[in-house]
Amino acid sequence: MPALWDRDEHLYDDERDLVALAPDDHDRLNMMLKDFFGCLFKSRGQKERTDRQGLFYFPEHRVQYAGLIITTLLSAILLVGAIVSLLYVSERRIKLRVAILALFTCVFAGVVGLLTNAKRAEIFMSTAAYAAVLVVFIGNIKVD
């Protein structure tokens, strides 16, 4: 025996109309991806709703996966980019090395602060760890 009759009989046939009240990972990067690039995550062959122009569904896990890939690439590029940049600066140009270290550290702090939901203390700790890695790298470079 159906629980709903008449007009409401097929109200919940589409499983995408149901919402779970579980918390998701809503960091700034994922919100930006949803707001500005949501149309890129919709399912293939999915038609837009006829009652509203530009309304479509997209799976949340696709946005989460794209955010994970972007975050991983940015962190790797910032670390490897800083190391490669510092490697090609001669040992006698210590001021330039410190400037490069400061630049990459500021960019790292900006990326962590703008693209994640990290608190101030977490941003400070991660930036300090990043700078410490670069300082140790500078101290151990032996250029011939």
Side-chain angles (χ1 to χ4, degrees):
M1 176 180 243
L4 299 172
W5 296 279
D6 296 331
R7 293 185 319 180
D8 298 332
E9 186 173 358
H10 299 288
L11 184 64
Y12 299 115
D13 287 348
D14 189 356
E15 67 182 26
R16 295 175 298 180
D17 288 336
L18 303 175
V19 177
L21 298 178
D24 273 336
D25 186 21
H26 293 293
D27 61 359
R28 290 181 186 109
L29 177 62
N30 288 345
M31 289 189 302
M32 183 186 70
L33 288 173
K34 285 184 218 176
D35 291 344
F36 297 111
F37 304 106
C39 61
L40 300 176
F41 299 109
K42 67 181 178 180
S43 301
R44 293 179 191 204
Q46 178 185 343
K47 296 182 275 185
E48 290 187 7
R49 302 256 320 234
T50 56
D51 55 343
R52 293 193 180 144
Q53 193 70 322
L55 181 65
F56 51 86
Y57 294 106
F58 56 86
E60 180 73 25
H61 67 89
R62 288 185 181 182
V63 177
Q64 299 287 334
Y65 188 68
L68 176 68
I69 289 173
I70 291 170
T71 304
T72 303
L73 287 175
L74 276 174
S75 61
I77 287 169
L78 284 173
L79 188 59
V80 174
I83 290 173
V84 169
S85 299
L86 291 169
L87 190 60
Y88 284 110
V89 175
S90 86
E91 192 173 275
R92 291 168 283 178
R93 303 192 65 188
I94 193 68
K95 289 182 183 178
L96 182 59
R97 283 189 179 178
V98 172
I100 290 172
L101 183 138
L103 174 73
F104 273 97
T105 302
C106 289
V107 171
F108 179 82
V111 166
V112 171
L114 293 175
L115 298 184
T116 67
N117 288 336
K119 297 177 183 149
R120 283 186 216 136
E122 294 167 339
I123 295 170
F124 181 77
M125 287 185 290
S126 63
T127 304
Y130 178 80
V133 168
L134 295 182
V135 167
V136 169
F137 182 75
I138 287 175
N140 290 329
I141 295 177
K142 300 292 185 220
V143 179
D144 296 332

